Amino acid sequence: MVMCSQGTGQNGKGVDLLLQYRLKAADAPILRLLDGIIVQGLEAGASDIHLEPGTERNRVRYRIDGVLQQAQSITMERHTALISCVKLMAGMDIAEKRKPQDGRSQIAHNGQKIDLRVSSLPTIQGEKIVIRVLNSKVNQLRLEDMGFTGVNLARYRIMYRASYGLVLVTGPTGSGKTTTLYATLEELNQPERNIITIEDPVEYHMEGANQVAVNTKIGMTFANGLRSILRQDPNIIMIGEIRDRETAEIAIQAALTGHLVFSTLHTNTAAGAVTRLLDMGIEPFLAASALRGVVAQRLVRKLCPACKKKYMADKAMWEWKRFRNLACEEKDRDESKPPDSLALYRQSGCDACRQSGYRGRIAVHEVLPVNAVLKNKIICGDSEQELWNAAKAEFPGISSLEEDGMQKVKQGITSVQELLRVLGTV
């Protein structure tokens, strides 16, 4: 049974409404249904729980390892009551069904406190609810477990162990950027350092760090919050996301005045972060001076070790063509013929992985350090491709997202199909 605690909605009032509801109707079927849905999602490792309306029946779906999976369907009557329960739990206005709302709650499950971020959206079929599951514990986050290769981790550590400068982690929503940054902060979290974060929302709770939540309704934006943070004598600043020119300018000024600044951007490649900063209106010489390096990353599902199946690459030529450079290590090998020794793995499906063939996720990375040569190219306005070509000449063994992913395929960690799904094309 999930125990629901105080919820805080858009009106800012913390009220234990669901607990009061429980006391009045302890055996209510809808409450037991909600408990069951949440518990099942937590035990399955879901990051999001979707309660979606339909024309005849409504469905419950879980996002597990980045992919939505249908769990069950419920009647319209139960869906309406379920939505009301969730909104009560999150401190939202149950009477308002015409506009989106956001709320929060906290639950205890197996002795752990888990934050829930609730979002409602009115659709033509009815209200849709998404419950984001946020495990606020960071004491087990380690960079060694994030999927970095030895070379990439060593180069990343050089970036964030600098005394000042800007370090960026890029990728789309849900690519694990915040998790990587918090694992980094956990390594840097020492009593002699003043670490301050500003986020929207605060996803992890870190002992020893001062964490600030953005609240645009009262004027607490990234830019305004960052100005106040700079008056708090920080050593390390983490900005949840650089979204506009004002935030970017303050972050760069902070990085140039003796602070180590971490943040995220939404770009497809590491070199694309430079272009994004310049598009925001940042002067090239300022971006070049502040930037220590960029990490681009994506999350791919790991093959289930209990049921993954081995196969030879010569049985799938279209896959082989993408791995030609990896497999052909001999200069005189005929690249039109795949070697017999190239063994890959594909998903199968078992009870341990809920028949998906995958269990857990791992990141693929593109680590781009910025040295004097790349700084000059940024100032000269070189393109993304020119920056990446220069990086390949400066840093032997540097790998793109595709190359890092293909190494993980070759090691049997993930599959060709999963890499293609996440990266689009290799």
Side-chain angles (χ1 to χ4, degrees):
M1 182 69 71
V2 176
M3 296 182 296
C4 296
S5 67
Q6 192 171 8
T8 303
Q10 288 182 324
N11 55 14
K13 297 179 181 179
V15 286
D16 205 355
L17 292 173
L18 186 57
L19 182 56
Q20 294 175 17
Y21 195 13
R22 283 180 184 280
L23 294 174
K24 293 178 181 178
D27 59 343
I30 293 301
L31 293 173
R32 292 200 303 271
L33 175 62
L34 175 58
D35 276 338
I37 289 172
I38 294 177
V39 168
Q40 184 180 352
L42 293 176
E43 292 179 349
S47 61
D48 299 88
I49 301 171
H50 291 242
L51 309 177
E52 301 175 321
T55 53
E56 296 181 0
R57 293 185 67 84
N58 307 278
R59 60 183 178 179
V60 178
R61 294 197 291 174
Y62 299 132
R63 187 172 294 280
I64 301 171
D65 294 332
V67 177
L68 279 171
Q69 300 180 17
Q70 181 154 344
Q72 59 180 292
S73 61
I74 56 178
T75 63
M76 180 62 72
E77 293 77 13
R78 296 187 109 195
H79 175 82
T80 303
L82 194 62
I83 294 298
S84 296
C85 263
V86 174
K87 292 169 78 172
L88 283 169
M89 176 183 71
M92 299 158 70
D93 184 358
I94 63 170
E96 180 55 72
K97 300 179 180 180
R98 299 169 301 172
K99 64 181 182 181
Q101 294 187 69
D102 294 299
R104 295 189 70 122
S105 185
Q106 189 178 81
I107 63 172
H109 179 67
N110 291 339
Q112 286 188 333
K113 289 184 179 180
I114 298 174
D115 290 324
L116 302 178
R117 191 171 76 200
V118 182
S119 172
S120 72
L121 180 71
T123 73
I124 59 172
Q125 287 88 13
E127 280 190 283
K128 170 180 166 61
I129 289 281
V130 175
I131 304 172
R132 170 66 58 88
V133 180
L134 301 173
N135 191 339
S136 59
K137 294 292 184 182
V138 295
N139 54 0
Q140 295 181 342
L141 295 179
R142 299 171 64 248
L143 284 172
E144 289 82 356
D145 301 328
M146 300 293 166
F148 283 97
T149 64
V151 172
N152 280 343
L153 184 55
R155 285 174 175 161
Y156 180 46
R157 282 195 163 126
I158 292 173
M159 294 180 198
Y160 69 75
R161 286 177 175 172
S163 58
Y164 67 94
L166 177 63
V167 178
L168 295 173
V169 179
T170 76
T173 300
S175 59
K177 301 184 296 296
T178 302
T179 303
T180 296
L181 285 181
Y182 263 102
T184 306
L185 293 180
E186 187 67 22
E187 197 167 292
L188 295 171
N189 192 5
Q190 301 294 331
E192 65 271 13
R193 294 188 176 120
N194 180 16
I195 299 176
I196 306 180
T197 76
I198 179 165
E199 305 165 71
D200 183 22
V202 176
E203 294 191 17
Y204 296 101
H205 296 164
M206 174 177 283
E207 191 68 30
N210 303 281
Q211 298 171 277
V212 179
V214 167
N215 188 341
T216 54
K217 291 185 177 179
I218 61 172
M220 176 62 81
T221 62
F222 277 114
N224 292 336
L226 193 49
R227 289 190 185 93
S228 299
I229 286 172
L230 291 174
R231 294 192 288 269
Q232 291 288 313
D233 187 32
N235 299 106
I236 298 173
I237 302 170
M238 196 272 273
I239 307 166
E241 182 185 347
I242 294 178
R243 298 175 178 173
D244 50 51
R245 176 177 178 175
E246 187 178 15
T247 305
E249 287 177 341
I250 301 171
I252 285 178
Q253 288 300 327
L256 292 174
T257 53
H259 305 90
L260 183 59
V261 181
F262 295 93
S263 191
T264 68
L265 278 176
H266 288 261
T267 64
N268 292 325
T269 64
V274 176
T275 304
R276 180 77 179 108
L277 288 175
L278 301 185
D279 287 344
M280 286 182 177
I282 302 300
E283 293 292 339
F285 74 93
L286 289 176
S289 300
L291 204 55
R292 288 286 178 182
V294 185
V295 176
Q297 73 174 50
R298 302 287 190 281
L299 292 178
V300 296
R301 292 179 293 172
K302 295 191 292 186
L303 286 165
C304 176
C307 65
K308 67 180 182 181
K309 290 187 177 180
K310 185 177 182 179
Y311 71 102
M312 303 307 295
D314 59 352
K315 296 179 182 179
M317 284 300 295
W318 68 273
E319 293 176 357
W320 158 246
K321 291 176 182 178
R322 293 166 169 80
F323 290 87
R324 183 178 296 170
N325 294 333
L326 270 177
C328 296
E329 298 176 354
E330 299 176 13
K331 294 182 179 179
D332 57 350
R333 184 186 297 277
D334 181 0
E335 294 190 357
S336 65
K337 298 179 181 180
D340 294 335
S341 60
L342 182 62
L344 302 177
Y345 291 85
R346 61 164 60 98
Q347 73 276 18
S348 177
C350 65
D351 291 339
C353 60
R354 298 169 58 90
Q355 306 302 324
S356 69
Y358 299 94
R359 189 164 53 173
R361 287 191 290 178
I362 194 169
V364 294
H365 297 99
E366 190 175 277
V367 179
L368 177 66
V370 177
N371 63 3
V373 172
L374 267 71
K375 288 180 186 293
N376 287 333
K377 289 191 171 293
I378 293 172
I379 293 172
C380 293
D382 283 15
S383 66
E384 291 182 31
Q385 189 59 53
E386 289 169 332
L387 287 174
W388 184 248
N389 291 339
K392 288 197 291 186
E394 290 292 311
F395 303 102
I398 194 170
S399 58
S400 65
L401 288 167
E402 292 85 356
E403 290 164 342
D404 189 46
M406 287 192 289
Q407 287 292 347
K408 289 178 171 64
V409 169
K410 193 178 179 185
Q411 293 165 10
I413 297 172
T414 190
S415 68
V416 174
Q417 292 83 358
E418 174 64 7
L419 188 63
L420 291 172
R421 181 187 72 84
V422 173
L423 298 183
T425 183
V426 180

